[in-house]
Amino acid sequence: MPYWTSLWYVWLILLTTFLLLLCGITASCIRFCCRRKRFPVETFSRHPYDQTVITVDSDSTAHSTVT
């Protein structure tokens, strides 16, 4: 039966898995900390101008005189 120290590929897989888990935990902690420090964002932006909507009725006098 081979010894664990001679199975270098098993150690490589374990080290890679550990590093990926460590990077994921670190990234999630950084993301959580940055999200807490961020200022609240306004959901609806206010526009400095007014919008006017003009509706055109199909039964208007201008439409009946053109056709």
Side-chain angles (χ1 to χ4, degrees), residues 17-56:
T17 306
F18 175 73
L19 288 175
L20 284 174
L21 284 172
L22 186 66
C23 287
I25 291 170
T26 305
S28 63
C29 287
I30 290 172
R31 195 175 193 185
F32 179 73
C33 290
C34 290
R35 190 176 289 174
R36 285 180 54 198
K37 292 180 183 178
R38 194 181 306 167
F39 295 109
V41 178
E42 189 176 330
T43 55
F44 296 104
S45 63
R46 297 180 182 178
H47 298 289
Y49 52 88
D50 292 330
Q51 290 182 347
T52 305
V53 178
I54 301 172
T55 59
V56 177

Side-chain angles (χ1 to χ4, degrees), residues 52-67:
T52 305
V53 178
I54 301 172
T55 59
V56 177
D57 190 13
S58 62
D59 295 331
S60 66
T61 57
H63 181 70
S64 61
T65 55
V66 171
T67 58

